[in-house]
Amino acid sequence: MGKSKILLACDEANHVCDKAQYKEATLWEKIRLNVHLIYCRACRKYTKNNLKLTKLMKSPEVKTIDQRDKQAMKERLMQELSNHQ
Amino acid sequence: MPTNTIDPTTWVDKYSDYLFNYTIVRVDDKEIAQDLVQETFLAGLKSMKNFKGEASERTWLISILKRKIIDYYRKINSKKGKAEVRLNYNSDSDSEGDWLEERVADPFDANAEGEIENKELGTAIHNCIGKLPEKQATIFKMKTIQGFDTETICDEFSITASNLWVIIHRARTALAACLEKSWF
């Protein structure tokens, strides 16, 4: 399959869309994605959901425990476990 | 027949973020929330033999955590509570304090609970992340929540960048489907 200079296949479009969520897509890639979205309904839907997910993930309500604190927790738990048995 | 097994060595990786999000909306303090999660794990360890395998590990840990949160509230409210009882109620020593329990609505009412949990974004998301395969979940969290760059994660797991993007793509698709009902 010859690769078009401007038209993306759907899997490529989704890949660019994923990258764009982390600000890792180049300007040219984003232009090609937007051209693709003009005529592809499925990818429009994916892009819409992807944007929403990114927005949700960025909300301050979503938190994780620091990797270091997790490690400390694990060690504490393992220590207790070895005392236990 | 016990259908669920228990394995404390995986608890921190699998459940700590979920439990942490559950706690933080209820106590509103990062340090305290972390302590409560840690205490929950330790308490779980102690009563491991009581685990019958009827519920999933996570449900069981949540039920311990709920008790811990209630205990925490009791502790910080104990002084205030006593003063109120003496002021407002008769000094009949037998029934002292009874009214408090009667009057306070049960915050963990079973029906309201599910409703609330669905409305808590943090818990909802970690609930959905918990359903992903473990490696996918870890990588997705590192990339999206903790904001590590692609290279760091690739080195850590010794995968290629395109591997990483496939994993991210799968995780995002699964999460969108999982969150679709209540959040999209």
Side-chain angles (χ1 to χ4, degrees):
Chain A
M1 196 181 88
K3 281 203 174 174
S4 157
K5 267 198 180 137
I6 180 128
L7 300 183
L8 287 168
C10 285
D11 58 336
E12 293 170 314
N14 286 344
H15 175 54
V16 172
C17 177
D18 286 332
K19 279 205 284 188
Q21 304 312 309
Y22 301 95
K23 300 206 161 54
E24 288 181 30
T26 61
L27 177 64
W28 180 230
E29 281 176 326
K30 281 187 280 187
I31 293 170
R32 289 171 79 191
L33 171 65
N34 277 300
V35 170
H36 182 86
L37 293 183
I38 294 170
Y39 59 86
C40 182
R41 184 197 291 236
C43 290
R44 268 206 300 274
K45 189 177 174 218
Y46 179 74
T47 304
K48 198 176 116 209
N49 278 349
N50 223 354
L51 283 171
K52 246 179 200 164
L53 183 64
T54 303
K55 224 162 117 194
L56 288 182
M57 294 303 296
K58 279 212 183 107
S59 108
E61 279 173 61
V62 183
K63 302 179 188 79
T64 53
I65 302 180
D66 215 65
Q67 212 61 37
R68 239 179 304 130
D69 290 340
K70 265 190 198 165
Q71 200 52 43
M73 268 184 173
K74 246 189 232 173
E75 274 159 22
R76 181 83 215 289
L77 201 62
M78 287 305 115
Q79 192 192 338
E80 204 69 21
L81 194 63
S82 58
N83 291 342
H84 206 63
Q85 282 161 347
Chain B
M1 266 298 279
T3 47
N4 291 296
T5 51
I6 202 160
D7 179 12
T9 50
T10 60
W11 283 356
V12 176
D13 285 329
K14 273 193 191 156
Y15 309 116
S16 58
D17 284 327
Y18 178 74
L19 297 178
F20 180 66
N21 273 269
Y22 185 95
T23 319
I24 201 139
V25 291
R26 288 168 172 79
V27 301
D28 204 23
D29 182 296
K30 191 172 159 269
E31 298 287 317
I32 293 168
Q34 268 189 27
D35 286 348
L36 286 173
V37 172
Q38 173 86 73
E39 276 176 40
T40 303
F41 286 146
L42 295 177
L45 207 57
K46 271 192 199 125
S47 49
M48 234 161 69
K49 6 177 187 12
N50 299 333
F51 182 75
K52 294 192 205 80
E54 282 158 6
S56 73
E57 243 181 338
R58 199 186 72 183
T59 314
W60 183 68
L61 285 169
I62 277 281
S63 69
I64 298 174
L65 179 62
K66 280 180 192 171
R67 294 246 69 91
K68 293 280 169 206
I69 296 174
I70 295 173
D71 285 347
Y72 164 73
Y73 274 115
R74 286 221 175 103
K75 217 163 65 195
I76 57 169
N77 279 320
S78 57
K79 275 182 197 152
K80 202 168 67 189
K82 266 180 212 151
E84 269 170 27
V85 171
R86 293 224 178 83
L87 275 173
N88 297 325
Y89 207 56
N90 62 34
S91 52
D92 189 351
S93 58
D94 286 340
S95 56
E96 189 174 29
D98 283 358
W99 66 282
L100 258 182
E101 288 226 52
E102 282 163 25
R103 254 149 252 242
V104 172
D106 181 9
F108 296 111
D109 173 59
N111 293 326
E113 183 78 348
E115 196 77 356
I116 292 171
E117 261 168 45
N118 257 339
K119 285 185 184 147
E120 284 163 2
L121 178 59
T123 349
I125 285 187
H126 281 286
N127 185 17
C128 289
I129 292 180
K131 287 177 190 159
L132 301 175
E134 213 171 309
K135 196 173 162 198
Q136 235 178 64
T138 321
I139 291 177
F140 179 77
K141 275 192 277 190
M142 280 177 84
K143 183 92 181 117
T144 315
I145 306 178
Q146 291 162 326
F148 284 105
D149 52 33
T150 310
E151 229 170 278
T152 321
I153 302 174
C154 287
D155 283 351
E156 179 112 353
F157 291 89
S158 44
I159 53 175
T160 65
S162 57
N163 282 153
L164 177 112
W165 286 109
V166 169
I167 290 172
I168 295 285
H169 179 70
R170 288 191 186 145
R172 295 190 80 95
T173 317
L175 279 180
C178 175
L179 290 166
E180 190 153 36
K181 230 165 72 191
S182 39
W183 286 95
F184 279 12

